Amino acid sequence: MDFDRACFRRLYEDLLDHDGEPRRFLAGRRRTVAAHLAGLAPLRRRERIPPGGCTGDDEHLWRMMKLYALSRVSDYLIEQGGAAHTHFFTEIGLTPFEHAEAFSPFHHEISAVVQDPGATRVTVEEVLWPGFWFGDLLFCRAGVRVRAPRHLIDAAVATTSTLYFTFRRASRPAGDLSHGWGSQSQWRTSFPRFYADEAGLHLNWDGAIDIGEDPPHRPAGRLEDEAPLDERRELLLHRCFVRTALPRDEDDRFPYNDRLSLTTAEWPMNPDAIVRTPRPE
């Protein structure tokens, strides 16, 4: 099949224009979408970006932009309810997971919170929609309701603060690198790559600044981020803020430059879980 770079963008736009049951509409697109997704197979495994980044003609970059467009379909279907989302992405070849045995910010998006002053840790109460893998690449996290004490997860903050690396959520503000760009330029956004493999959990693998270091090393040409390191780690780990002391500028952060690798994703984060992953500059 030819590498149609706009296939998933058209799917998203047609889905928005469709008046009716999404599951029935998507059934007619399943084979085409599955074939195009198979063409993105190199993204299934973690690899280093070449020094200096990808060029505008790099096929690897086009794959990431194409997968980003498919992630918008995922965001839309999550808003519509779990059945269509689960059915469609399972059918096109992604692997569903719940990871319900323990709460993990890497695997779980907090959608609801049961505030429990008697709790001593964060636990998963219910999985609201499954997450999906594309090989080792995390396509989307599982949505969960958690039970937690307020000092670890504040219900209001965790469910209403800006959800980064996300194009849309009906229930809260969301932000990704496409926001603020024109109708054409926004589709040149790359999919954020979060991987799980034998070396650990790699959050925003394409980020240039390893915030596992204290202080983080800033590559030449990168702007300094003056936010406290613990806030940057919290934001990258959860993709939003979750604790009571919500920063005033929480809706104006830029976590897209940061990168972090861990052996396990617990909350609170265990500093001993940090893995150093040096990359070429």
Side-chain angles (χ1 to χ4, degrees), residues 10 19 40 84 87 89 94 113 135 265 281:
R10 287 196 303 272
D19 184 16
L40 305 185
H87 186 77
F89 285 104
L94 296 180
V113 179
E281 297 180 12

Side-chain angles (χ1 to χ4, degrees), residues 20 24 31 37 43 69 101 129 165 174 219 247 260-261:
R24 180 174 298 179
R31 288 188 178 182
L37 181 63
L43 296 180
E101 63 275 11
W129 68 81
F165 300 97
L260 181 65
S261 290

Side-chain angles (χ1 to χ4, degrees), residues 15 18 20-30 84 87-88:
L15 189 57
H18 177 68
E21 169 57 44
R23 185 166 172 174
R24 180 174 298 179
F25 166 79
L26 291 167
R29 306 290 187 95
R30 181 183 60 80
H87 186 77
F88 178 68

Side-chain angles (χ1 to χ4, degrees), residues 45-113:
R45 301 291 179 262
R46 181 170 58 102
E47 64 181 42
R48 298 186 185 280
I49 288 181
C54 298
T55 68
D57 296 326
D58 194 300
E59 205 64 46
H60 185 74
L61 181 61
W62 280 105
R63 290 188 186 101
M64 292 198 293
M65 291 190 292
K66 189 172 181 179
L67 193 60
Y68 167 77
L70 188 61
S71 76
R72 283 204 186 181
V73 175
S74 174
D75 285 351
Y76 176 79
L77 292 178
I78 286 173
E79 291 184 355
Q80 305 308 303
H85 182 265
T86 301
H87 186 77
F88 178 68
F89 285 104
T90 301
E91 282 202 329
I92 65 172
L94 296 180
T95 304
F97 72 88
E98 292 192 351
H99 197 85
E101 63 275 11
F103 173 69
S104 162
F106 180 89
H107 300 88
H108 294 141
E109 175 184 321
I110 296 176
S111 183
V113 179

